[in-house]
Amino acid sequence: MSREISRFAWSEAPTAEEKVKVVYQGEECEVKAGTTVAAALLGHDDNHFCRSAADQEKRAPYCLMGVCFECLVEIDGMKNRQACLEPVAAGMDIKRQYPDE
């Protein structure tokens, strides 16, 4: 993953208890600042982020460390973002990613 695209800074771990508002699938959600997109979305509705290109099976985070690519989402119009590696940011627009789109 490119450092230029990611908003995450490993040297600046979140300490604040503040919350930010993000939009997921058109629904506004309030989540703890600094959490990853994957952590913020786990447990939301039916627990899937994308579908497999091979068989359209629902997919959700598996490794949560950027190895498996099971958590791909669209963030602010950019597809193929790994939700487990991206921290939430105020106003972020997150959408599920399906292979046929």
Side-chain angles (χ1 to χ4, degrees), residues 1 10 23 40 44 54 59 63 79 81 83 88 90 96:
M1 176 171 23
W10 290 101
V23 177
H44 190 276
R59 299 293 183 160
C63 73
K79 292 190 177 212
R81 305 303 303 160
V88 293
R96 285 187 174 131

Side-chain angles (χ1 to χ4, degrees), residues 50-59 70 97-100:
C50 62
R51 290 188 184 267
S52 162
D55 59 9
Q56 299 297 308
E57 182 180 343
K58 291 180 180 179
R59 299 293 183 160
E70 296 293 324
Q97 185 171 300
Y98 295 127
D100 58 345

Side-chain angles (χ1 to χ4, degrees), residues 44-101:
H44 190 276
D45 57 54
D46 59 359
N47 292 328
H48 84 281
F49 292 10
C50 62
R51 290 188 184 267
S52 162
D55 59 9
Q56 299 297 308
E57 182 180 343
K58 291 180 180 179
R59 299 293 183 160
Y62 181 72
C63 73
L64 293 172
M65 61 183 191
V67 177
C68 72
F69 297 92
E70 296 293 324
C71 64
L72 294 178
V73 293
E74 179 180 318
I75 299 176
D76 295 333
M78 290 182 66
K79 292 190 177 212
N80 298 320
R81 305 303 303 160
Q82 288 178 274
C84 68
L85 297 179
E86 288 292 326
V88 293
M92 187 177 267
D93 185 23
I94 307 160
K95 295 179 182 159
R96 285 187 174 131
Q97 185 171 300
Y98 295 127
D100 58 345
E101 296 178 349

